[in-house]
Amino acid sequence: MHSPSLPPRTRHSLLGTGLVCASLSAVLVVMVAVRWAPLISLDTTVAEALHRRAVTEPGLVQVNRVLTDWVWDPWTMRILIAVAVIALWRHAARLLAVWVALVSALAALVQQGLKAAVGRERPQWPDPVDSAHYAAFPSGHAMTAMVSCGLLLWLLRLYGARSPWWWAGLALAVVSVVGVAVTRVYLGVHWPTDVLGGLLLGAAVVAFAVVGYGATAGYAARRAAGGAGAPL
């Protein structure tokens, strides 16, 4: 396992990324909450265009429903995280296991809290091709996919995955995150900005989680080494 300590440049880059994503998501939350007309108009235009296409493509709709309900479902993502947490715990990486579990749980709480606070209604269609419940913003599928894939990629990097495994993992993560975003809008259960908000929030959570773990693990290592500053 590589040291969890981050080079200053990497740490600053992650902090910057997290702050930018958090700031953009905050702006988006405000615009959605006040129903800013240009944003609502753009959401409606894109959603209507995709829905018109979806109602003429029942075969593709079915493929998307399988992907969103099984392959990229939030519970599928959480199961992958749970497997990673168990593996970390069994290999004595207890702090890391707890950290990953807590970050995943915190992301779910933030997501649900924002849904309740914003209370955005989902798209309503006279001829729906799929259905979903509870508030729309942010997309739980999109945020969970971003957080889960981001954490799993971080673990691959942390444990020094060889280049083929790293690139394969990165490709799967990108396909999953983009696929979730497109699928949720295509099926007419989210507005485009719902998935954008979920992706931005998820990216912010992952960036802050990686930086936070580096600081926490470094502090724990220094205490265990009697202040010698040895890496974990």
Side-chain angles (χ1 to χ4, degrees):
M1 176 179 175
H2 289 179
S3 170
S5 299
L6 297 170
R9 181 176 297 181
T10 302
R11 183 171 64 251
H12 294 155
S13 177
L14 283 171
L15 279 174
T17 299
L19 288 170
V20 169
C21 289
S23 299
L24 289 175
S25 62
V27 171
L28 193 58
V29 167
V30 172
M31 290 193 297
V32 168
V34 302
R35 296 185 59 80
W36 189 50
L39 185 76
I40 301 303
S41 176
L42 178 62
D43 264 348
T44 302
T45 299
V46 174
E48 286 180 346
L50 284 176
H51 180 69
R52 285 195 299 269
R53 179 169 179 174
V55 295
T56 66
E57 300 173 328
L60 189 56
V61 165
Q62 188 58 35
V63 171
N64 277 268
R65 292 187 67 174
V66 170
L67 289 172
T68 196
D69 292 339
W70 295 97
V71 179
W72 294 324
D73 183 78
W75 284 108
T76 302
M77 297 292 174
R78 291 173 188 138
I79 288 171
L80 292 176
I81 291 294
V83 170
V85 167
I86 292 170
L88 290 169
W89 189 272
R90 293 186 62 181
H91 285 82
R94 303 291 171 82
L95 177 60
L96 183 55
V98 171
W99 192 268
V100 171
L102 287 177
V103 170
S104 183
L106 177 63
L109 289 174
V110 169
Q111 169 209 129
Q112 293 300 310
L114 275 175
K115 281 180 177 288
V118 177
R120 189 184 201 185
E121 293 187 1
R122 292 178 183 269
Q124 301 293 323
W125 310 107
D127 49 355
V129 298
D130 200 1
S131 63
H133 306 288
Y134 200 38
F137 185 93
S139 166
H141 278 70
M143 185 171 177
T144 303
M146 178 63 85
V147 171
S148 300
C149 290
L151 290 176
L152 292 172
L153 283 175
W154 172 48
L155 293 177
L156 282 177
R157 178 66 76 182
L158 200 57
Y159 276 83
R162 294 181 179 178
S163 185
W165 289 104
W166 164 252
W167 288 110
L170 181 61
L172 282 173
V174 171
V175 169
S176 296
V177 170
V178 174
V180 165
V182 173
T183 295
R184 299 306 285 169
V185 181
Y186 177 80
L187 290 174
V189 294
H190 274 295
W191 304 105
T193 47
D194 296 339
V195 296
L196 176 59
L199 296 178
L200 288 171
L201 284 165
V205 168
V206 173
F208 291 142
V210 173
V211 174
Y213 177 74
T216 302
Y219 173 74
R222 287 191 295 272
R223 287 199 59 181
L232 185 65

